[in-house]
Amino acid sequence: MPREEKNGSPLKLAIDECNNLIETAGVVQKGNKKYLEVKHRVQVFRKFFPLWGIQTTLLYADEKYVRVQATITNPTGAIIGSGMAEEVRGVGPVNKTSALENCETSAVGRALAAA
């Protein structure tokens, strides 16, 4: 069962913590909007939902493309959210060396958002 607190549901508390982290750890994107990196969102997820899971699956990889799916599961194994991502190898500085890792991270971020 997710961690319970006196002042709200675990989901509300996790969302509030992410919103607070945006102010201190957010990365400024185009349009001056701040973005909370997936590594911080995963930390908050693990804090408030310690028995839930994040599963990633490599759907496709060749010399040009990488596709990954991520799912968020509750303690009974039910899928609560999923996300997919695709990256093109060699496009952009990160994908020149780490397209698979970048794709997996993107899929996890999308799955967390869907959950």
Side-chain angles (χ1 to χ4, degrees):
M1 178 168 205
R3 186 177 141 192
E4 295 290 338
E5 301 264 343
K6 291 180 182 178
N7 55 351
S9 73
L11 180 58
K12 180 179 180 341
L13 292 168
I15 290 169
D16 289 346
E17 187 159 327
C18 283
N19 288 335
N20 290 334
L21 277 171
I22 287 173
E23 295 306 314
T24 59
V27 176
V28 177
Q29 298 287 303
K30 290 180 182 176
N32 236 12
K33 185 176 179 181
K34 285 191 175 181
Y35 168 83
L36 189 61
E37 292 175 294
V38 174
K39 65 182 181 181
H40 297 296
R41 289 185 268 157
V42 168
Q43 288 174 345
V44 171
F45 171 75
R46 295 282 186 217
K47 177 179 176 180
F48 289 98
F49 300 92
L51 301 178
W52 294 37
I54 299 173
Q55 172 90 27
T56 60
T57 304
L58 178 62
L59 298 176
Y60 181 82
D62 66 10
E63 64 282 346
K64 187 168 183 178
Y65 297 102
V66 179
R67 293 184 192 110
V68 174
Q69 180 178 28
T71 56
I72 307 299
T73 57
N74 70 13
T76 67
I79 295 174
I80 303 302
S82 68
M84 296 174 65
E86 177 180 80
E87 297 293 341
V88 180
R89 293 183 189 272
V91 175
V94 174
N95 287 344
K96 287 183 181 178
T97 60
S98 306
L100 177 58
E101 295 90 334
N102 189 32
C103 191
E104 183 179 46
T105 300
S106 296
V108 168
R110 294 180 61 82
L112 287 170

